[in-house]
Amino acid sequence: MLEIKNLHAAIEGNEILKGINLKINAGEIHAIMGPNGSGKSTLANVLAGREEYEITGGSVRFKDNDLLELNPEDRAREGLFLAFQYPVEIPGVSNSYFLKTAYNEKRKYQGMEEIDAADFLMLMKEKMKLIEMDQALMNRPVNEGFSGGEKKRNEIFQMAVLEPKLAILDETDSGLDIDALKIVANGVNKLRSKDNAYIVVTHYQRLLAYIIPDFVHVLYKGKIVKSGGKELALDLEKKGYDWLK
Amino acid sequence: MQTDKTILQSYINNFQFLERGLKKQSNDPIHDLRKTAFNHLLEKGFPTKREEEWRFTDISPIIQESFILAEENNIKEFKQSDIIQLMFKDWAGPLLVFINGNYAEHLSDINTAQAGLTIDTMLSLLKKDQKSLLDTFTEFKTYNENVFSALNTAFIKDGSIIKLEKNVIADKPIHLLYISTKQEKPQLINPRNLIYLSDNSQAVIIESHVNLTDGQYFNNPVTEIRIAENARCNHIRIQDESSEAFHIGSIFVDQKQNSHYFSTSLMFGGKIARNNIYTNLDGEGIETILNGLYMGHDDQLIDNHTFINHAKPHCESHELYQGILTDNAKGVFSGKIMVRPDAQKTDAKQSNNCLLLSNEARINSKPQLEIYADDVRCTHGATVGQLNQDAIFYLRSRGITWQRAKNILTYAFAEQVVEGIGIDSVRDYVNDIILSRLKEDMNFIK
């Protein structure tokens, strides 16, 4: 599904990613861990197409596409989804309008008819139940005045509606209390299938107790320095990152 | 300010033309009012950029053009189907249609059955009951301090007169529709509206200034609104003139104790367009809301001037102006809030936010607070900027195109003013204008 080869990326002339190699198949969950400043969020943002980052080398294939050639909206329409570490507040645009527009853009891209308001409402209700999302949040402006936990849950809710092939969860656990963490993890577990894949970017092991990864990679100074199974996350929890440096 | 004689000559010719047309009626008392105002205009001349209030608005293209007074010959040719796109959908309230400043009776409907609500036209009242009109005028001021309102008074001919008796609540909104059309020579149009709300009365008035065919003309309307004790007026003003037109509007509002004035001023059209709102808060417990939206493109110049005079204690004013400028458009916002020594416990809040969507678009924003009382709360804020890049990326990351993401955010910015329009058909009409500017259709927001 995704194949990253020797990826280098820089921002304002500082190279952050220094040769990432990673292959992800459908049905897999990959955790990317690492200390602060190791390049985890940069990797997530580069994959989503954030334009502040300059790609200085390497390649990324996503399904049958050269991902780096696609603009951010086409990446999303091809099935890539980034759950933001810091979801953006958008005053004046309601959550439900925003999601319906996004949903229909994707349908149009796939050559399907736009969904009507009634059918979309049904879909929203079904997904809201899945994420235990408060319906009142739907008519509020996107993320405006949401608590940290509500914002993160809203990201997972959008993911549930848009049904991506590859979802990247960027520090989704930060700012969540344990109950919210369980709900988010539970949502992801219900959505996972043999056809989709996840990259879970996290600093701590605690999310991985609920979303069990198939692979764990440690990112350090812009490179993956160690890969392993889910037990690697537990080792990191015990020993910290110092033993890898 | 001295204005070149040759410039004023065309106005002198027009005034003489008007007087010839009046014949015997030039002895009418109303004509004294015209003459006083005209002499004031001749004396004072048109403002130049050297005057503070006109520093950013160069009106020389207006005053260098010579206009003729609009004639009423072909009004009957217009059918309702011709103007339907300028009307609000399924409109059931009173409607006054003016074409090039002249009342089109056959397109209007002012026969409300409601007791205590009088709707008439200036011309009709001048003919049948000039005394009551002049009595009304003496209650109003003739506002000569602004030469464009003096110009309007000098050429007073027609307009809308609305009066609500005590305790009367107009059961339907009232639409004043001013339509301009292209003529062989550019025309000068001076609509004059008087709106009088007695104690405890309420009305919603929508004033629109629009065009049927593109062309150059100069629309110079004046609206005077008196709001007596406990009365409430919701005034929505839509300016969507021809792209070649000049528009200078003046609104004078006088408010008494515990009254409420809610203005929504929407400025879309015109080559040079300016709207002046003067509100006088002459009583305690008054609330004044001035909301505005302006959208400029091409080489438009759109200017909003507001003046809020807090004269008495315990009054509130809230002002929110949102501007969206692109291409080479230029915007001006000047918001003056005067708090007189008596006006303790004043609560005044003003904000003007402007989006600049091109490198060439410009805004001159000038908040002016003059405070002579010591126990008040006054705040003002102005922002100028581009769309939030993080928000654009967020929308794009969900599959929404760059152009549409920009449009969604721009619309949301405009929506902050539009959402205050409490009448669906009027809001739809305004949304149509905004969406056509964004090149989006109605599905975009529904």
Side-chain angles (χ1 to χ4, degrees), chain B residues 334-361:
Chain B
S334 165
K336 190 166 183 175
I337 298 173
M338 174 75 80
V339 181
R340 306 278 179 193
D342 268 358
Q344 298 295 358
K345 303 285 180 191
T346 289
D347 186 351
K349 192 176 172 209
Q350 177 190 86
S351 56
N352 169 47
N353 307 306
C354 188
L355 270 183
L356 298 179
L357 300 179
S358 70
N359 290 329
E360 292 74 30

Side-chain angles (χ1 to χ4, degrees), chain B residues 25-309:
Chain B
Q25 286 162 14
S26 61
N27 297 321
D28 284 355
I30 182 85
H31 197 58
D32 290 336
L33 206 61
R34 289 197 193 101
K35 281 192 283 199
T36 307
F38 191 64
N39 286 333
H40 182 80
L41 168 69
L42 292 183
E43 213 173 282
K44 239 187 145 189
F46 287 105
T48 68
K49 288 182 78 177
R50 285 193 297 274
E51 287 174 48
E52 187 56 29
E53 291 300 295
W54 296 88
R55 193 148 66 98
F56 301 113
T57 304
D58 181 6
I59 54 162
S60 52
I62 305 179
I63 60 175
Q64 277 158 16
E65 186 62 59
S66 57
F67 298 97
I68 58 158
L69 293 179
E71 291 182 57
E72 52 199 294
N73 41 24
N74 59 355
I75 288 177
K76 286 277 187 320
E77 292 167 17
F78 292 93
K79 296 187 291 290
Q80 199 184 57
S81 57
D82 297 326
I83 63 160
I84 197 94
Q85 78 270 25
L86 304 173
M87 293 164 57
F88 306 127
K89 203 162 176 279
D90 302 324
W91 192 250
L95 169 68
L96 291 89
V97 179
F98 294 81
I99 294 177
N100 300 324
N102 297 299
Y103 184 58
E105 191 179 0
H106 66 294
L107 300 171
S108 304
D109 177 13
I110 58 171
N111 299 313
T112 66
Q114 200 179 351
L117 169 63
T118 314
I119 302 176
D120 212 333
T121 64
M122 176 79 71
L123 195 62
S124 139
L125 265 184
L126 277 176
K127 278 177 186 158
K128 70 183 178 208
D129 192 0
Q130 191 161 136
K131 187 178 173 309
S132 93
L133 181 68
L134 285 168
D135 287 347
T136 316
F137 260 118
T138 53
E139 285 190 50
F140 286 85
K141 293 169 191 155
T142 46
Y143 298 106
N144 284 336
E145 63 259 42
N146 160 346
V147 292
F148 287 100
S149 53
L151 171 66
N152 178 288
T153 305
F155 290 97
I156 267 184
K157 186 177 177 194
D158 214 345
S160 306
I161 296 175
I162 294 159
K163 188 171 183 184
L164 283 96
E165 304 295 340
K166 279 184 184 174
N167 306 317
V168 172
I169 297 172
D171 52 18
K172 293 196 180 80
I174 301 161
H175 187 192
L176 320 179
L177 176 54
Y178 291 90
I179 301 172
S180 295
T181 65
K182 186 180 169 67
Q183 301 288 309
E184 272 174 41
K185 284 183 183 163
Q187 303 184 94
L188 169 65
I189 309 157
N190 293 291
R192 182 65 163 245
N193 304 312
L194 302 177
I195 296 162
Y196 187 82
L197 286 94
S198 308
D199 294 356
N200 301 308
S201 66
Q202 290 182 29
V204 180
I205 315 267
I206 304 111
E207 184 185 334
S208 47
H209 296 275
V210 293
N211 68 304
L212 203 53
T213 42
D214 271 326
Q216 197 184 59
Y217 56 87
F218 176 19
N219 189 14
N220 181 46
V222 172
T223 299
E224 295 178 64
I225 306 177
R226 272 179 82 94
I227 310 173
E229 286 184 21
N230 296 310
R232 298 174 74 87
C233 180
N234 180 357
H235 180 208
I236 301 161
R237 193 176 189 280
I238 302 167
Q239 183 279 104
D240 192 22
E241 306 272 22
S242 154
S243 59
E244 295 165 58
F246 304 121
H247 177 103
I248 294 184
S250 302
I251 297 154
F252 299 92
V253 183
D254 190 64
Q255 287 185 259
K256 295 291 185 248
Q257 194 169 313
N258 297 321
S259 66
H260 177 93
Y261 176 63
F262 179 12
S263 159
T264 307
S265 169
L266 306 147
M267 299 274 277
F268 298 109
K271 189 175 182 66
I272 298 175
R274 166 151 164 160
N275 194 36
N276 304 293
I277 303 180
Y278 306 85
T279 57
N280 183 31
L281 282 61
D282 184 21
E284 297 190 14
I286 291 170
E287 193 179 18
T288 304
I289 302 171
L290 304 184
N291 283 354
L293 169 68
Y294 51 99
M295 272 181 103
H297 64 167
D298 295 340
D299 57 351
Q300 280 185 285
L301 166 59
I302 300 184
D303 176 349
N304 282 287
H305 265 65
T306 63
F307 177 68
I308 300 175
N309 186 30

Side-chain angles (χ1 to χ4, degrees), chain A residues 47-79:
Chain A
L47 293 177
R50 200 163 193 123
E51 281 154 352
E52 291 94 305
Y53 295 95
E54 189 194 348
I55 310 298
T56 48
S59 68
V60 182
R61 304 251 353 138
F62 176 53
K63 300 196 295 181
D64 295 326
N65 304 295
D66 178 351
L67 186 76
L68 302 177
E69 285 297 309
L70 298 177
N71 61 35
E73 54 267 38
D74 284 341
R75 295 181 194 200
R77 292 155 165 192
E78 285 290 340

Side-chain angles (χ1 to χ4, degrees), chain A residues 9-76:
Chain A
I11 188 160
E12 289 165 357
N14 297 322
E15 191 165 57
I16 312 281
L17 301 183
K18 298 170 181 167
I20 303 272
N21 292 288
L22 186 62
K23 190 164 188 286
I24 293 174
N25 298 308
E28 294 175 352
I29 296 184
H30 290 244
I32 294 183
M33 302 184 72
N36 286 332
S38 58
K40 302 189 300 290
S41 279
T42 298
L43 177 61
N45 280 290
V46 163
L47 293 177
R50 200 163 193 123
E51 281 154 352
E52 291 94 305
Y53 295 95
E54 189 194 348
I55 310 298
T56 48
S59 68
V60 182
R61 304 251 353 138
F62 176 53
K63 300 196 295 181
D64 295 326
N65 304 295
D66 178 351
L67 186 76
L68 302 177
E69 285 297 309
L70 298 177
N71 61 35
E73 54 267 38
D74 284 341
R75 295 181 194 200

